[in-house]
Amino acid sequence: AGELDFLQAVLLALFQGHDAADQWLRLYPTGCHKVEACLVLAGDGAGSTDGQLAKNDVLMMRLINQLYGLKNIGSATVFEALVCSVIEQQLSLPVARSLEHKVIRALGDSIMIRGTRYFAFPTAQQLAYCSIDTLHRCGVSRQKGGYITGIAKTVERGEMDIEKLKQCNDTRAIVDILCTLRGVGLWTAELTALRGLNRLDVIPVAKAGLEHRWMAHYYCHDHVTTAEQIRQIAARWDKWKGLAGHYLITAGRRGVEL
């Protein structure tokens, strides 16, 4: 969903010689870089990363062996990651993704390629000037709608350039900056850093979160655990905590048993 599908469709059509895609990329020259960001194509190879993650952790090594080569799929922009993280607060992932799809179709730009319409994630300008009622009709609560439009206005006015956070090497500083925005707490900021900036040294922990659920399943025999206990377990993965969370969620949803 979002820009990943949109950009992939455009690039595929471009390779096939479709005029609409060529015109779109001339207007949107950063498209190729955004596909790279979504797929996290730059940086460490899967093999070296997986090796570091599995070091001194037999259980994680067994998970990796069954899901070898798994990559953390990111968002095209920090803004998209942040807005989606706000939408996903205290919701199951399927419900949240359904709401995100509705927002994208209601407000995002689109392009028609070979009879199929693809939608881009709404820009900060589009979200800044949409009404909370519009977001509410997409299923987003009015409170979250206020958070989203407020964040969009902050970005649109140039009061915070969240895309420049990519230049910051200190993940904790990034989380602290994001937490200054209304409606953004620790979980939302860490999820944004993970998805939008590929900062694998964070693992968002929420009582109802998938990371919490599957870490408890694989590491605590399904016993109820606190957020602090989860963070203590995650400490063993050092700067690869986020990737470990991705493995745990994927393994859990696929029913991988060890």
Side-chain angles (χ1 to χ4, degrees):
E3 292 222 51
L4 177 58
D5 288 344
F6 185 59
L7 293 167
Q8 284 182 316
V10 169
L11 291 177
L12 176 61
L14 179 64
F15 295 147
Q16 295 175 344
H18 196 285
D19 292 340
D22 184 49
Q23 179 183 12
W24 183 84
L25 276 180
R26 284 199 298 271
L27 296 173
Y28 199 18
T30 60
C32 293
H33 297 296
K34 288 195 173 188
V35 170
E36 180 181 273
C38 286
L39 299 177
V40 196
L41 297 176
D44 294 319
S48 61
T49 302
D50 291 345
Q52 290 295 321
L53 178 59
K55 189 177 181 181
N56 302 322
D57 189 332
V58 175
L59 193 153
M60 183 57 67
M61 184 181 296
R62 289 162 65 189
L63 281 179
I64 289 172
N65 286 339
Q66 295 199 51
L67 300 169
Y68 186 77
L70 186 69
K71 295 280 283 183
N72 180 52
I73 302 298
S75 298
T77 65
V78 182
F79 179 72
E80 177 178 345
L82 179 54
V83 172
C84 288
S85 296
V86 171
I87 291 174
E88 292 171 22
Q89 292 170 355
Q90 299 180 320
L91 292 178
S92 70
L93 192 58
V95 170
R97 289 290 166 82
S98 174
L99 302 188
E100 289 161 12
H101 292 171
K102 292 177 181 178
V103 171
I104 291 167
R105 288 179 172 271
L107 297 168
D109 293 330
S110 66
I111 186 172
M112 181 73 75
I113 298 177
R114 303 191 186 283
T116 301
R117 185 165 295 281
Y118 296 90
F119 293 83
F121 196 83
T123 64
Q125 183 180 43
Q126 288 168 329
L127 284 171
Y129 295 106
C130 82
S131 68
I132 293 177
D133 285 342
T134 298
L135 292 173
H136 188 61
R137 284 194 292 271
C138 295
V140 178
S141 71
R142 294 187 182 279
Q143 183 179 44
K144 288 183 183 178
Y147 295 156
I148 290 168
T149 56
I151 290 168
K153 287 174 183 175
T154 297
V155 173
E156 172 63 15
R157 292 168 182 165
E159 297 170 13
M160 182 184 291
D161 187 348
I162 59 175
E163 302 306 322
K164 280 193 174 180
L165 292 176
K166 295 174 182 178
Q167 301 171 14
C168 179
N169 295 321
D170 187 341
T171 303
R172 185 47 50 191
I174 291 171
V175 169
D176 289 343
I177 290 170
L178 291 172
C179 282
T180 64
L181 294 164
R182 181 171 174 266
V184 178
L186 180 59
W187 181 86
T188 303
E190 288 186 335
L191 185 57
T192 301
L194 176 61
R195 284 187 185 166
L197 294 154
N198 194 35
R199 299 305 170 95
L200 299 178
D201 54 338
V202 295
I203 183 166
V205 176
K207 187 64 179 176
L210 291 174
E211 294 90 347
H212 196 133
R213 173 185 176 185
W214 295 117
M215 203 180 298
H217 174 70
Y218 287 111
Y219 283 87
C220 304
H221 307 290
D222 285 317
H223 292 163
V224 176
T225 53
T226 66
E228 183 55 35
Q229 287 174 313
I230 294 298
R231 290 189 185 279
Q232 288 175 0
I233 294 171
R236 73 184 67 185
W237 300 313
D238 193 28
K239 62 180 181 179
W240 309 113
K241 298 183 190 73
L243 183 59
H246 190 46
Y247 269 109
L248 289 167
I249 291 171
T250 303
R253 297 182 71 180
R254 292 187 181 183
V256 174
E257 293 297 342
L258 302 175

